[in-house]
Amino acid sequence: MGQSALVTGADSGIGEAVAIALAAAGANVVINHVDAHEAAEQTVDKITAAGGNAYAIHADVSDEAEVQAMFAEMYKQYGTIDILVNNAGLQRDSKFVDMTLQQWNTVIGINLTGQFLCAREAAREFIRRGVVEGRSRAAGKIICMSSVHEVIPWGGHVNYATSKGGVMMMMKSMAQELAPHKIRVVSIGPGAIQTHINQSAWQTPEALNALLTLIPYNRIGEPEDIGQLAAWLASDQADYITGTTIFMDGGMTLYPGFADNG
Ligand code: BGC
């Protein structure tokens, strides 16, 4: 493949699986993390042990200067960027009336503004460099990690659902504006994927059973499911896809409550 990829929040969970899948497809991968240096180094070790090429960089994606420094460092190491996976994200859950401004700002800052800052840097480089013959049909690919909650309202998580709704419209508007530059922008909308972010939803049999009532396909997703999809979306096999969200959710967006009701 010979392309360079940056995956934000790649020290664990979905981001780690995406980084591993991109490296397995032949990309050089930057493993971004904010405060999990050891975990990020472990992701790097897994990739290098499998014959891939990766290294870790710290940056808080909601901080403009840190994002710009991370891209500068990546260009020193790998020369350029071909694939950005805007994955870093978090939850700060609260009942709406009790939600603090800090809980709101933290989630919007990382999940939405962080995706903006990284996408803007990547798009600048894609436009500057253009399409490289023989490397990819596109000048660059931006994959935004969204959620089923870009369309499924989520009480108790208003900040999170708002951030993902914002990611959806940011992704589509960027895709429209950047397509003439041969830049593809897409989102992945994961459903319930087994990671630490939703541990309370799967760690006891009771919680898992309740969760499975929301998933017609009757299994929780694995980070590797999303990793494979991201690698495919970044490839030229997906060259005609831009401006849309691919949901990977075992049917969670199919209103399972209506299966025999309504
Ligand atoms: C959230 C998880 C949740 C899943 C399905 C994800 O975006 O981060 O906590 O389990 O959506 O509701």
Side-chain angles (χ1 to χ4, degrees):
M1 184 202 244
Q3 298 183 50
S4 297
L6 167 61
V7 183
T8 64
D11 50 280
S12 70
I14 290 176
E16 177 179 26
V18 168
I20 289 171
L22 286 170
N28 302 316
V29 186
V30 171
I31 307 297
N32 159 260
H33 69 96
V34 62
D35 55 15
H37 187 71
E38 271 179 33
E41 288 300 343
Q42 282 167 15
T43 308
V44 170
D45 289 346
K46 284 181 201 166
I47 289 173
T48 47
N53 197 344
Y55 75 99
I57 307 186
H58 158 95
D60 174 349
V61 294
S62 68
D63 183 306
E64 185 174 31
E66 289 193 21
V67 167
Q68 288 177 333
M70 170 170 66
F71 276 80
E73 174 68 16
M74 178 174 183
Y75 300 154
K76 259 194 231 155
Q77 297 284 338
Y78 291 146
T80 189
I81 182 169
D82 302 284
I83 300 160
L84 168 68
V85 183
N86 256 338
N87 169 78
L90 44 68
Q91 292 180 209
R92 291 289 181 269
D93 307 330
S94 166
K95 284 199 184 319
F96 181 67
V97 290
D98 297 328
M99 187 172 286
T100 64
L101 180 59
Q102 194 184 1
Q103 286 171 320
W104 174 268
N105 282 340
T106 299
V107 171
I108 299 298
I110 305 282
N111 295 12
L112 183 57
T113 308
Q115 293 212 14
F116 155 67
L117 289 171
C118 293
R120 189 187 60 179
E121 291 311 307
R124 286 173 174 166
E125 172 67 3
F126 297 156
I127 291 169
R128 184 199 65 76
R129 196 205 55 231
V131 174
V132 179
E133 279 302 314
R135 198 190 295 170
S136 172
R137 294 182 76 176
K141 284 85 61 164
I142 298 172
I143 299 173
C144 299
M145 207 54 70
S146 183
S147 166
V148 291
H149 297 296
E150 72 170 45
V151 292
I152 301 178
W154 206 17
H157 309 74
V158 170
N159 46 1
Y160 183 87
T162 303
S163 73
K164 297 303 184 180
V167 165
M168 173 181 64
M169 197 47 87
M170 182 175 72
M171 175 278 291
K172 287 177 187 277
S173 301
M174 283 196 296
Q176 190 193 61
E177 181 173 335
L178 298 173
H181 297 284
K182 305 292 283 180
I183 297 169
R184 293 196 291 114
V185 191
V186 296
S187 283
I188 296 174
I193 309 298
Q194 188 166 9
T195 71
H196 66 82
I197 205 174
N198 58 2
Q199 204 166 344
S200 61
W202 52 262
Q203 66 184 352
T204 66
E206 297 73 31
L208 182 60
N209 280 336
L211 178 66
L212 290 177
T213 65
L214 301 175
I215 308 173
Y217 202 62
N218 208 39
R219 75 165 169 90
I220 191 164
E222 292 150 14
E224 293 71 25
D225 289 318
I226 306 295
Q228 294 303 317
L229 175 58
W232 182 76
L233 280 171
S235 79
D236 275 359
Q237 289 182 5
D239 186 61
Y240 210 48
I241 302 181
T242 194
T244 197
T245 300
I246 311 288
F247 290 102
M248 196 178 217
D249 65 355
M252 195 176 238
T253 42
L254 299 175
Y255 296 97
F258 280 77
D260 190 22
N261 201 351

